[in-house]
Amino acid sequence: MATIEWRSPASEMAVQQFDNAAAKLNLDSNLAGRLRRPDRAMIVSVPTRMDDGRVNVFTGYRVQHNDVLGPFKGGIRYHPAVNLGEVSALAMWMTWKCSLVGLPLGGGKGGIACDPADLSRHELQSMTRRFTAEIINFIGPEVDVPAPDMGTNEQVMAWIMDTYSQHKGHAVPEIVTGKPIAIGGTLGRREATGRGVVYTIMETAKHLGIDLLQCTAAVQGFGNVGSVVVKELANIGVNVIAVSDRTGGFFDAKGLPVAKLLEVADKNHSLEGCPYGEKISNAALLELKCDILVPAALEMQITKENAPRLQCRILAEGANGPTTPEADAILREKDIFLIPDILANAGGVVVSYFEWVQDLQNFFWTEEEVNKKLRDILVKAFHEVLNMSQKHKVEMRLAALMIGIDRVARAMLWRGLYA
Ligand code: NAD
């Protein structure tokens, strides 16, 4: 990300975080120079026939940051703000995340600049298939394995799997994760990220001596991650007092009726028109007095402007990159316990890894096995990060990055430089 093409607020933030951790690790400058930028970045045109007969040319991206530990792994995002810099930052975070939780996978990310809510099912399918065809020579079960992210879901994964399989002439379920169960998906994948966020919150509460039954929570974003976080928090007795999505938020100091919210979101595909609690903005939700705050939507939601007004005790980053480095410094002063994104939301890629392994072996696990293995991995990673943070007297984000980067750097040293 040293050159201009990769520059964006998100990529600058990812590089700044990397530089902080690299400095703390005394990382060799040659290695740091290689890790600051992706191995490969693709920009592709995605011509798509719209329902009215026009051909709309969307721009698609796939960035492969580092594959020293294994195949590139990372989601595909459909959102109007997708750009090369954002995708590059997300790919870099995937490298550290996979390494942190001990997966034999590297970091990648992709996306198309589009608003999926404006596209018909047919348009979405055509765009997805053409995008897959454009990047097909650079993905593969042993090369680069996509997954869902914002704006994509199991249906989009099924179209990618089908397009890839048609080109190969046989079914290749292991080309993507987050697929429907019927075509090789794993039990527990849809819930994995949100469930993982809650597992890390439970470990944090134990560490801080907090009783979760007395806790309140506010969650920004009500999609794949946010809605499951809300459901799982309610299941363990946390009082969810505020939720939001792109249409705005809802707040009730006494607690929101979670089951009913889930019903509304399921029916309307958003929280719009939800009859519960009072309406609040997304910005106001972040500043509510609560014990647990979970940003589970976009990057850079917590900045130097609003960080001084945060009133939570635990900040669990369901989203990738929701907190800027300037805000990190403020949160440290406020004594807010941070569960950083590459730890808090790693449940998604962990169960994606389980799905890939099951597909490769053609042997499938029960949901109990999936959840137990997921929890074991996240609890272990949580304590490794906590120990690192205590040993080096650094905040949790820096500790998590140090572990993730160090493992990648060591593997690169063993493999050397092919030149
Ligand atoms: P999603 O598309 O399923 O849901 C996104 C949610 O955010 C929706 O409720 C949407 O309405 C809301 N939203 C969009 N713009 C918003 C705004 N400006 N303010 C408030 N809410 C807004 O996406 P997701 O898969 O839940 O991903 C959410 C975040 O979690 C992203 O940062 C993603 O990278 C991260 N993440 C996802 C996974 C996964 O497995 N899906 C894994 C790890 C991290």
Side-chain angles (χ1 to χ4, degrees):
M1 295 177 211
T3 53
I4 196 78
E5 298 86 19
W6 287 301
R7 286 187 71 170
S8 78
S11 65
E12 306 233 319
M13 183 173 140
V15 170
Q16 195 177 334
Q17 290 176 348
F18 169 74
D19 285 344
N20 290 345
K24 198 79 193 162
L25 288 166
N26 281 324
L27 194 68
D28 174 83
S29 62
N30 291 326
L31 278 181
R34 290 172 66 188
L35 286 169
R36 290 173 103 240
R37 48 192 297 162
D39 285 356
R40 182 188 283 140
M42 284 166 269
I43 304 179
V44 295
S45 293
V46 189
T48 304
R49 182 154 325 262
M50 308 302 278
D51 291 348
D52 63 5
R54 276 179 314 117
V55 172
N56 200 351
V57 185
F58 294 96
T59 306
Y61 306 89
R62 185 73 186 168
V63 174
Q64 300 173 333
H65 174 254
N66 185 285
D67 69 344
V68 73
L69 295 175
F72 300 104
K73 188 87 194 78
I76 303 232
R77 178 175 289 196
Y78 288 175
H79 190 276
V82 164
N83 60 58
L84 187 61
E86 181 187 66
V87 176
S88 301
L90 290 162
M92 183 189 259
W93 286 323
M94 284 305 295
T95 304
W96 316 143
K97 191 184 300 182
C98 292
S99 162
L100 171 64
V101 291
L103 306 181
L105 296 169
K109 204 83 182 190
I112 301 181
C114 68
D115 189 344
D118 286 349
L119 301 176
S120 69
R121 181 183 161 88
H122 177 252
E123 290 165 344
L124 204 56
Q125 176 167 183
S126 303
M127 183 185 77
T128 300
R129 288 185 182 278
R130 182 62 190 245
F131 175 60
T132 310
E134 292 297 332
I135 61 170
I136 206 157
N137 291 326
F138 299 94
I139 59 173
E142 285 153 357
V143 183
D144 183 350
V145 183
D149 191 74
M150 275 187 76
T152 58
N153 54 21
E154 61 177 12
Q155 177 61 79
V156 173
M157 295 306 113
W159 290 328
I160 295 177
M161 181 268 187
D162 184 67
T163 308
Y164 188 88
S165 300
Q166 296 294 342
H167 279 249
K168 297 293 159 190
H170 57 92
V172 188
E174 60 273 24
I175 178 58
V176 285
T177 58
K179 301 175 290 292
I181 308 271
I183 55 169
T186 180
L187 293 164
R189 172 61 185 90
R190 204 190 71 75
E191 300 83 1
T193 309
R195 202 170 264 157
V197 171
V198 175
Y199 290 157
T200 62
I201 291 172
M202 290 161 78
E203 285 307 300
T204 302
K206 263 193 248 165
H207 165 64
L208 298 176
I210 292 175
D211 177 6
L212 285 171
L213 292 173
Q214 307 300 321
C215 284
T216 55
V219 181
Q220 182 192 58
F222 209 75
N224 180 275
V225 182
S227 67
V228 176
V229 168
V230 166
K231 186 174 173 197
E232 297 284 324
L233 282 176
N235 280 348
I236 57 167
V238 173
N239 193 10
V240 179
I241 58 167
V243 296
S244 70
D245 68 3
R246 65 199 292 182
T247 65
F250 299 88
F251 165 66
D252 186 339
K254 291 203 279 309
L256 290 163
V258 166
K260 289 182 179 153
L261 290 176
L262 291 163
E263 257 173 48
V264 171
D266 206 32
K267 201 161 128 233
N268 304 342
H269 302 292
S270 88
L271 292 169
E272 198 165 20
C274 176
Y276 311 107
E278 70 182 80
K279 282 209 83 167
I280 53 164
S281 68
N282 261 295
L285 176 139
L286 298 173
E287 298 173 19
L288 286 174
K289 185 162 176 48
C290 61
D291 298 297
I292 303 160
L293 177 64
V294 185
L298 295 171
E299 303 84 74
M300 289 180 285
Q301 296 298 297
I302 300 168
T303 63
K304 65 178 188 302
E305 275 75 40
N306 61 3
R309 295 191 294 274
L310 257 57
Q311 302 188 65
C312 58
R313 178 84 185 82
I314 298 170
L315 174 61
E317 295 184 328
N320 285 307
T323 312
T324 66
E326 294 91 347
D328 270 341
I330 298 166
L331 299 184
R332 214 173 309 140
E333 298 301 312
K334 289 173 69 79
D335 201 23
I336 290 175
F337 190 94
L338 172 78
I339 316 175
D341 47 7
I342 61 169
L343 173 63
N345 70 34
V349 74
V350 169
V351 177
S352 272
Y353 165 63
F354 295 164
E355 180 173 334
W356 181 66
V357 168
Q358 291 171 78
D359 287 339
L360 288 169
Q361 299 184 337
N362 267 310
F363 182 71
F364 291 87
W365 310 347
T366 64
E367 188 159 4
E368 289 69 36
E369 278 175 275
V370 168
N371 291 344
K372 175 166 184 328
K373 288 186 168 79
L374 167 64
R375 189 166 184 167
D376 289 349
I377 287 179
L378 289 183
V379 168
K380 178 168 173 275
F382 177 88
H383 288 285
E384 283 173 355
V385 175
L386 187 62
N387 289 344
M388 179 69 119
S389 137
Q390 290 170 335
K391 184 169 156 206
H392 291 272
K393 300 192 171 26
V394 295
E395 70 272 19
M396 290 286 280
R397 181 180 325 282
L398 194 50
L401 287 167
M402 284 167 70
I403 296 172
I405 292 168
D406 187 51
R407 286 181 185 154
V408 172
R410 281 170 196 275
M412 284 175 81
L413 277 177
W414 274 110
R415 286 183 53 168
L417 178 64
Y418 178 67

